[in-house]
Coordinates of all heavy atoms in Angstrom, one line a residue:
P27 N 0.8 -1.2 0.0 CA 0.0 0.0 0.0 C 0.8 1.3 0.0 O 1.9 1.3 0.7 CB -0.8 -0.1 1.2 CG -0.8 -1.6 1.6 CD 0.5 -2.1 1.2
F28 N 0.4 2.2 -0.8 CA 1.0 3.6 -0.8 C 2.5 3.5 -1.2 O 3.3 4.2 -0.6 CB 0.8 4.3 0.5 CG -0.6 4.2 1.0 CD1 -0.9 3.7 2.2 CD2 -1.6 4.7 0.2 CE1 -2.2 3.6 2.7 CE2 -3.0 4.6 0.6 CZ -3.2 4.1 1.9
Q29 N 2.9 2.6 -2.0 CA 4.3 2.4 -2.3 C 4.5 2.5 -3.9 O 3.6 2.1 -4.7 CB 4.9 1.0 -1.9 CG 4.9 0.9 -0.3 CD 5.9 1.8 0.3 OE1 7.1 1.9 -0.3 NE2 5.6 2.5 1.3
F30 N 5.7 2.8 -4.3 CA 6.2 3.0 -5.6 C 7.0 1.7 -6.0 O 7.5 1.0 -5.1 CB 7.1 4.1 -5.9 CG 6.4 5.4 -5.7 CD1 6.5 6.1 -4.4 CD2 5.7 6.1 -6.6 CE1 6.0 7.3 -4.2 CE2 5.1 7.3 -6.4 CZ 5.3 8.0 -5.2
T31 N 6.9 1.3 -7.2 CA 7.9 0.3 -7.6 C 9.3 0.9 -7.5 O 9.5 2.1 -7.4 CB 7.7 -0.2 -9.1 OG1 7.5 1.0 -9.9 CG2 6.5 -1.1 -9.3
S32 N 10.3 0.1 -7.4 CA 11.6 0.5 -7.1 C 12.1 1.5 -8.2 O 11.5 1.6 -9.3 CB 12.6 -0.7 -7.1 OG 12.7 -1.3 -8.4
K33 N 13.2 2.2 -7.9 CA 13.8 3.1 -8.8 C 14.1 2.5 -10.1 O 14.0 3.2 -11.2 CB 15.0 3.7 -8.2 CG 15.6 4.9 -9.0 CD 16.7 5.5 -8.2 CE 17.2 6.8 -9.0 NZ 18.4 7.4 -8.4
R34 N 14.4 1.2 -10.2 CA 14.6 0.5 -11.4 C 13.3 0.2 -12.0 O 12.5 -0.6 -11.5 CB 15.4 -0.8 -11.2 CG 15.8 -1.5 -12.5 CD 16.6 -2.8 -12.2 NE 16.9 -3.5 -13.3 CZ 17.9 -3.4 -14.1 NH1 18.8 -2.5 -13.7 NH2 18.2 -4.1 -15.1
A35 N 13.0 0.8 -13.2 CA 11.7 0.8 -13.8 C 11.4 -0.6 -14.4 O 12.4 -1.4 -14.7 CB 11.5 1.8 -14.8
I36 N 10.2 -0.9 -14.7 CA 9.8 -2.1 -15.5 C 9.8 -1.9 -16.9 O 9.2 -0.9 -17.4 CB 8.4 -2.6 -15.0 CG1 8.5 -3.1 -13.5 CG2 7.9 -3.7 -15.9 CD1 7.3 -3.5 -12.9
R37 N 10.6 -2.6 -17.7 CA 10.7 -2.5 -19.1 C 9.5 -3.1 -19.9 O 9.1 -4.2 -19.6 CB 12.0 -3.0 -19.7 CG 13.2 -2.4 -19.0 CD 14.5 -2.9 -19.6 NE 14.8 -2.2 -20.8 CZ 15.7 -2.6 -21.7 NH1 16.4 -3.7 -21.5 NH2 16.0 -1.9 -22.8
L38 N 9.0 -2.4 -20.9 CA 8.0 -2.9 -21.8 C 8.6 -2.9 -23.2 O 9.4 -2.1 -23.6 CB 6.8 -2.0 -21.8 CG 6.1 -1.8 -20.4 CD1 4.9 -0.9 -20.5 CD2 5.8 -3.1 -19.7
V39 N 8.1 -3.8 -24.0 CA 8.6 -4.0 -25.4 C 7.4 -4.2 -26.3 O 6.3 -4.6 -26.0 CB 9.5 -5.2 -25.5 CG1 8.8 -6.5 -25.3 CG2 10.2 -5.2 -26.9
N40 N 7.6 -3.7 -27.6 CA 6.5 -3.9 -28.6 C 7.0 -4.8 -29.7 O 8.1 -5.3 -29.7 CB 6.0 -2.6 -29.1 CG 7.0 -1.8 -29.9 OD1 8.1 -2.3 -30.3 ND2 6.7 -0.5 -30.2
K41 N 6.1 -5.0 -30.7 CA 6.4 -6.0 -31.8 C 7.6 -5.5 -32.7 O 8.2 -6.3 -33.3 CB 5.2 -6.2 -32.7 CG 4.7 -4.9 -33.4 CD 3.5 -5.2 -34.3 CE 2.9 -4.0 -34.9 NZ 3.9 -3.4 -35.9
D42 N 7.9 -4.3 -32.6 CA 9.0 -3.7 -33.4 C 10.3 -3.8 -32.6 O 11.3 -3.1 -33.0 CB 8.7 -2.3 -33.9 CG 7.6 -2.2 -34.8 OD1 7.5 -3.1 -35.7 OD2 6.7 -1.3 -34.7
N43 N 10.3 -4.4 -31.5 CA 11.5 -4.5 -30.6 C 11.9 -3.2 -30.1 O 13.2 -2.9 -30.0 CB 12.6 -5.2 -31.3 CG 13.7 -5.8 -30.4 OD1 13.3 -6.2 -29.2 ND2 14.9 -5.8 -30.8
Q44 N 11.0 -2.3 -29.8 CA 11.2 -0.9 -29.2 C 11.0 -1.0 -27.7 O 10.1 -1.9 -27.3 CB 10.4 0.1 -29.9 CG 10.7 0.3 -31.3 CD 9.7 1.3 -31.9 OE1 8.5 1.4 -31.5 NE2 10.1 2.1 -32.9
Y45 N 11.6 -0.2 -26.9 CA 11.5 -0.3 -25.5 C 11.0 1.0 -24.9 O 11.4 2.1 -25.3 CB 12.8 -0.8 -24.8 CG 13.2 -2.1 -25.2 CD1 14.1 -2.4 -26.3 CD2 12.8 -3.2 -24.4 CE1 14.4 -3.7 -26.6 CE2 13.2 -4.5 -24.7 CZ 14.1 -4.7 -25.8 OH 14.4 -6.0 -26.2
I46 N 10.2 0.8 -23.9 CA 10.0 2.0 -22.9 C 10.0 1.4 -21.5 O 10.0 0.2 -21.3 CB 8.6 2.6 -23.1 CG1 7.5 1.7 -22.9 CG2 8.5 3.3 -24.5 CD1 6.1 2.3 -22.9
S47 N 10.2 2.2 -20.5 CA 10.2 1.8 -19.2 C 9.2 2.6 -18.4 O 9.0 3.8 -18.6 CB 11.6 1.8 -18.5 OG 12.2 3.1 -18.6
V48 N 8.6 1.9 -17.4 CA 7.5 2.5 -16.6 C 7.6 2.2 -15.2 O 8.3 1.3 -14.8 CB 6.1 2.1 -17.1 CG1 5.9 2.5 -18.6 CG2 5.9 0.6 -16.9
R49 N 7.1 3.1 -14.3 CA 7.0 2.9 -12.9 C 5.6 2.9 -12.5 O 4.7 3.7 -13.0 CB 7.8 3.9 -12.1 CG 9.4 3.7 -12.4 CD 10.2 4.7 -11.6 NE 9.9 4.6 -10.1 CZ 10.1 5.6 -9.3 NH1 10.4 6.8 -9.7 NH2 9.9 5.4 -8.0
F50 N 5.3 2.2 -11.4 CA 3.9 2.0 -10.8 C 3.8 2.6 -9.4 O 4.8 2.6 -8.7 CB 3.5 0.6 -10.8 CG 3.3 0.0 -12.2 CD1 4.4 -0.5 -12.9 CD2 2.1 -0.3 -12.8 CE1 4.3 -1.1 -14.1 CE2 1.9 -0.8 -14.0 CZ 3.0 -1.3 -14.7
Y51 N 2.5 2.9 -9.1 CA 2.3 3.3 -7.6 C 0.9 2.7 -7.3 O 0.0 2.7 -8.0 CB 2.2 4.8 -7.6 CG 1.8 5.3 -6.2 CD1 2.7 5.3 -5.1 CD2 0.5 5.9 -5.9 CE1 2.4 5.7 -3.9 CE2 0.2 6.3 -4.6 CZ 1.2 6.2 -3.6 OH 0.8 6.7 -2.4
N52 N 0.9 2.2 -6.0 CA -0.3 1.6 -5.4 C -0.9 2.6 -4.5 O -0.4 2.8 -3.3 CB 0.1 0.4 -4.7 CG -1.2 -0.3 -4.0 OD1 -2.3 0.1 -4.2 ND2 -0.9 -1.3 -3.2
P53 N -2.0 3.3 -4.8 CA -2.7 4.2 -4.0 C -3.7 3.6 -2.9 O -4.3 4.4 -2.2 CB -3.3 5.1 -5.0 CG -3.8 4.2 -6.0 CD -2.7 3.2 -6.1
Y54 N -3.8 2.3 -3.0 CA -4.9 1.6 -2.2 C -4.3 1.2 -0.8 O -3.1 1.0 -0.7 CB -5.5 0.5 -3.0 CG -6.2 0.9 -4.2 CD1 -5.6 0.9 -5.5 CD2 -7.5 1.4 -4.1 CE1 -6.3 1.2 -6.6 CE2 -8.2 1.8 -5.3 CZ -7.6 1.7 -6.5 OH -8.2 2.2 -7.6
P55 N -5.2 1.0 0.1 CA -4.8 0.6 1.5 C -4.5 -0.9 1.7 O -4.4 -1.4 2.7 CB -6.0 1.0 2.3 CG -7.1 0.9 1.4 CD -6.7 1.2 0.1
Q56 N -4.3 -1.7 0.6 CA -3.9 -3.1 0.7 C -3.0 -3.4 -0.5 O -3.1 -2.7 -1.6 CB -5.2 -4.0 0.7 CG -5.7 -4.4 -0.6 CD -6.7 -3.4 -1.1 OE1 -6.8 -2.3 -0.7 NE2 -7.6 -3.9 -2.0
P57 N -2.2 -4.5 -0.4 CA -1.3 -4.9 -1.5 C -2.2 -5.3 -2.7 O -3.2 -6.0 -2.5 CB -0.6 -6.1 -0.9 CG -0.7 -5.9 0.6 CD -2.0 -5.3 0.8
I58 N -1.8 -4.9 -3.9 CA -2.5 -5.4 -5.1 C -1.4 -5.7 -6.2 O -0.2 -5.3 -6.1 CB -3.4 -4.3 -5.7 CG1 -2.7 -3.0 -6.1 CG2 -4.5 -4.0 -4.6 CD1 -3.6 -2.0 -6.8
P59 N -1.7 -6.5 -7.2 CA -0.8 -6.9 -8.3 C -0.2 -5.6 -8.9 O -1.0 -4.6 -9.1 CB -1.6 -7.7 -9.2 CG -2.6 -8.3 -8.3 CD -3.0 -7.3 -7.4
I60 N 1.0 -5.6 -9.3 CA 1.6 -4.4 -10.0 C 0.8 -4.1 -11.2 O 0.6 -2.8 -11.5 CB 3.0 -4.7 -10.3 CG1 3.9 -4.8 -9.0 CG2 3.6 -3.6 -11.2 CD1 5.3 -5.1 -9.3
K61 N 0.3 -5.0 -12.0 CA -0.4 -4.8 -13.2 C -1.7 -3.9 -13.0 O -2.2 -3.3 -13.9 CB -0.7 -6.1 -13.9 CG -1.7 -7.0 -13.3 CD -2.1 -8.3 -14.0 CE -3.0 -9.1 -13.3 NZ -4.3 -8.5 -13.1
D62 N -2.2 -4.0 -11.7 CA -3.4 -3.2 -11.4 C -3.2 -1.9 -10.8 O -4.1 -1.1 -10.5 CB -4.3 -4.1 -10.5 CG -4.8 -5.3 -11.2 OD1 -5.0 -5.3 -12.4 OD2 -4.9 -6.4 -10.5

């Protein structure tokens, strides 16, 4: 709850083998999957 993913971001890739990186935040009062 109320935590950010670590400073090291999660990498995403597309079909063209291009990359972006993203960070997540959980604003809810209980643990939830990062994807949510």
Side-chain angles (χ1 to χ4, degrees):
F28 314 121
Q29 293 294 315
F30 299 93
T31 46
S32 66
K33 188 174 181 180
R34 185 181 176 91
I36 292 174
R37 300 184 83 194
L38 306 181
V39 64
N40 65 13
K41 63 180 179 60
D42 296 318
N43 201 32
Q44 296 174 330
Y45 293 90
I46 60 174
S47 54
V48 298
R49 291 179 63 206
F50 293 81
Y51 178 71
N52 177 10
Y54 295 99
Q56 85 271 23
I58 63 174
I60 291 176
K61 66 179 179 63
D62 296 326

